[in-house]
Amino acid sequence: MFIKRHSRQKLPPLSNPISLLMRHLSSGTGKCNSTSYSKLRDHYSFKPPSSLSPTTPQNPNTNPIKKKSKPKYRPPSSLDAPKKLRSDLPFDFRYSYTESSPTVRPIGLREPKYSPFGPGRLDREWTGVCAPAVDPKARSVEEGAEDPKLEEKRRLMREKIQGAPLTNAERKALVEKCHRSRTKRQIQLGRDGLTHNMLNDIQNNWKHAEAVRFKCMGVPTVDMKNVCAQLEDKTSGKIIFRHCGTLVLYRGRNYNPKKRPVIPLMMWRPHEPVYPRLIKTTIDGLSIEETKEMRKRGLAVPALTKLVATAAKNGYYGSLVPMVRDAFIVSELVKIDGKGLERSDYKKIGCKLRDMVPCVLVTFEKEQIVVWRGKDYKPPENDACFVSQREMFDSPESDSECIVEGHNSTDESTS
């Protein structure tokens, strides 16, 4: 009876089993999620952060940190005013210290007064010839006169850096280190002489060595005494060896590379100013006919010597002044062959001969230097402007000839 009643009950339709299954799963999952969520919260004490619960009130006293915005990129411009360099060197800045004289004033300028150090890069004004150290506001050539007190200041600074003089043994050791077989460190001094940017090269070499070797060639070698004097005066160093055009410059005992002077660099070469003419229409004391006749005779005279110079190498002219002086004893006119030299080079050589021999310039025609000894010529008794070919700068009793043998005749160039 019971089986029959149970079988007579109405079964659910066949189309509903999927819905029943989904209802069962949803009810079971909900219970599982609720129980697991409660267990995690009770066991780990999980508290959501305030950022995830926007309903929680924030503390009004805390100010949000504002991130600094980066400045916009600005490309460098030449219109930006650079910081002016200040140099305490007690001398006027010139392009060349050996080939220009502060006593000779030019008669004009070839270009406007653009500073070769760059616009606004130096606290000294460029006068067209130099940047004077006396008055930085000087804007003309006449105002740029050198203060006589600067020479005394340079002397005191040099004595402070040099300290006690070197002994013969110390000097020999330094000269040996600068020999060409021991080091390749060398500074070339060419037709422009001692330039301003070369002072920075000397300081860079002194950072790594106590002494540096110079190789002097070209027009400045006519007056080697001036080259040596300018090197010692502008660098506060001391020349400890000289053999023809080879020099060794010592930095000093108290030299400190970390306290080297500030040397602003020239960015381009300034144009040379206009100086008075070297060759006049008529020679002083002679008429026009006598001047023309003397120029013809001078070009016909045999050349005393030929100044050797090529495109790759200049010559050494240290013996030119005594040669001209000796030639004036037997002849009143002397001709020097300057073929192959640049026009500015043999003009500078003629100007140096005029001041050092002394003599009168006759002509520069056909690349020849013709000089006249004058009417009342007397050989100079004082040879202060002439420097011997070899100097050791030590006491005569020292056996220093062994060092000289190391610098053989290969260092000399043909004159």
Side-chain angles (χ1 to χ4, degrees):
M1 293 291 292
F2 177 78
I3 297 173
K4 288 182 179 181
R5 289 177 184 177
H6 184 71
S7 61
R8 289 176 182 177
Q9 290 181 357
K10 292 183 179 181
L11 297 175
L14 297 176
S15 60
N16 292 334
I18 298 175
S19 60
L20 292 174
L21 179 63
M22 295 296 295
R23 189 183 302 171
H24 175 72
L25 292 175
S26 63
S27 62
T29 308
K31 293 179 181 179
C32 181
N33 286 341
S34 60
T35 54
S36 61
Y37 177 76
S38 61
K39 288 181 179 180
L40 289 174
R41 186 170 184 179
D42 297 339
H43 186 72
Y44 295 102
S45 301
F46 174 75
K47 293 181 180 180
S50 59
S51 59
L52 298 179
S53 56
T55 56
T56 56
Q58 297 182 356
N59 189 4
N61 296 330
T62 58
N63 296 326
I65 300 175
K66 294 183 179 180
K67 192 175 181 180
K68 293 183 179 179
S69 60
K70 288 185 178 181
K72 293 183 179 180
Y73 173 73
R74 182 184 178 187
S77 173
S78 59
L79 300 177
D80 297 338
K83 186 178 180 181
K84 290 187 177 182
L85 294 176
R86 176 175 177 81
S87 179
D88 296 330
L89 291 174
F91 55 84
D92 300 347
F93 292 161
R94 297 174 175 271
Y95 175 74
S96 177
Y97 296 104
T98 57
E99 303 309 299
S100 62
S101 176
T103 58
V104 180
R105 292 188 176 183
I107 59 177
L109 301 176
R110 300 181 187 272
E111 63 176 359
K113 299 175 184 178
Y114 296 133
S115 175
F117 299 96
R121 294 185 68 251
L122 189 64
D123 63 341
R124 303 185 186 185
E125 294 292 337
W126 181 256
T127 63
V129 180
C130 65
V134 185
D135 186 10
K137 297 181 180 180
R139 296 180 180 271
S140 64
V141 178
E142 290 76 11
E143 294 177 5
E146 186 176 2
D147 189 359
K149 295 181 181 180
L150 294 178
E151 184 177 358
E152 181 67 18
K153 187 177 180 180
R154 291 196 298 268
R155 186 185 64 83
L156 295 176
M157 184 174 66
R158 181 168 175 266
E159 290 179 354
K160 181 181 179 181
I161 294 176
Q162 287 297 316
L166 292 173
T167 62
N168 292 343
E170 292 173 337
R171 189 198 53 76
K172 291 179 194 176
L174 289 173
V175 173
E176 274 294 334
K177 288 182 180 180
C178 294
H179 195 272
R180 63 168 59 184
S181 62
R182 300 284 297 274
T183 180
K184 294 183 180 180
R185 193 182 298 275
Q186 177 175 291
I187 297 178
Q188 302 285 347
L189 195 145
R191 60 165 52 93
D192 291 333
L194 177 62
T195 59
H196 178 78
N197 289 356
M198 199 178 291
L199 301 179
N200 189 63
D201 298 338
I202 296 172
Q203 298 291 336
N204 292 337
N205 280 273
W206 277 349
K207 184 179 179 180
H208 305 284
E210 292 184 87
V212 60
R213 184 177 70 241
F214 281 82
K215 186 66 176 178
C216 306
M217 303 294 288
V219 178
T221 58
V222 177
D223 190 2
M224 284 301 298
K225 183 178 181 181
N226 181 40
V227 173
C228 298
Q230 292 295 333
L231 276 173
E232 292 184 345
D233 185 51
K234 299 301 184 292
T235 63
S236 299
K238 182 176 178 59
I239 294 176
I240 58 177
F241 177 79
R242 192 186 78 83
H243 181 223
C244 293
T246 304
L247 306 174
V248 176
L249 186 65
Y250 173 59
R251 67 183 186 181
R253 291 185 185 273
N254 302 329
Y255 178 82
N256 187 1
K258 296 182 180 180
K259 296 182 180 180
R260 56 183 291 180
V262 178
I263 302 176
L265 299 180
M266 287 190 177
M267 304 178 68
W268 64 82
R269 175 177 179 172
H271 287 280
E272 293 185 1
V274 181
Y275 290 99
R277 295 188 60 179
L278 295 175
I279 305 297
K280 298 181 180 179
T281 306
T282 58
I283 300 175
D284 295 339
L286 299 179
S287 61
I288 297 178
E289 290 77 11
E290 291 175 344
T291 302
K292 291 181 179 179
E293 182 65 25
M294 182 169 292
R295 286 172 180 166
K296 291 181 180 179
R297 288 169 50 203
L299 293 174
V301 170
L304 176 64
T305 182
K306 178 176 175 58
L307 302 178
V308 179
T310 61
K313 184 178 180 182
N314 294 321
Y316 174 76
Y317 313 128
S319 59
L320 190 59
V321 173
M323 288 175 63
V324 175
R325 287 180 179 177
D326 295 342
F328 276 158
I329 298 176
V330 296
S331 176
E332 64 174 356
L333 287 171
V334 172
K335 184 178 74 171
I336 301 171
D337 189 0
K339 288 184 178 179
L341 290 177
E342 293 188 6
R343 183 176 180 84
S344 60
D345 287 355
Y346 60 74
K347 279 190 173 183
K348 290 179 181 179
I349 292 175
C351 182
K352 290 178 182 290
L353 291 176
R354 180 194 63 181
D355 299 334
M356 297 176 64
V357 173
C359 58
V360 180
L361 295 175
V362 178
T363 183
F364 287 132
E365 294 180 4
K366 300 179 181 179
E367 298 183 354
Q368 307 295 316
I369 305 174
V370 180
V371 292
W372 178 46
R373 67 182 181 182
K375 291 184 177 180
D376 302 327
Y377 175 76
K378 293 182 181 180
E381 299 178 358
N382 184 15
D383 293 343
C385 62
F386 178 66
V387 183
S388 59
Q389 295 293 329
R390 178 179 297 164
E391 287 185 281
M392 292 304 299
F393 301 95
D394 60 352
S395 57
E397 64 271 7
S398 63
D399 51 348
S400 58
E401 291 301 323
C402 59
I403 305 296
V404 180
E405 295 298 331
H407 297 265
N408 50 21
S409 60
T410 58
D411 290 345
E412 298 185 38
S413 61
T414 56
S415 60

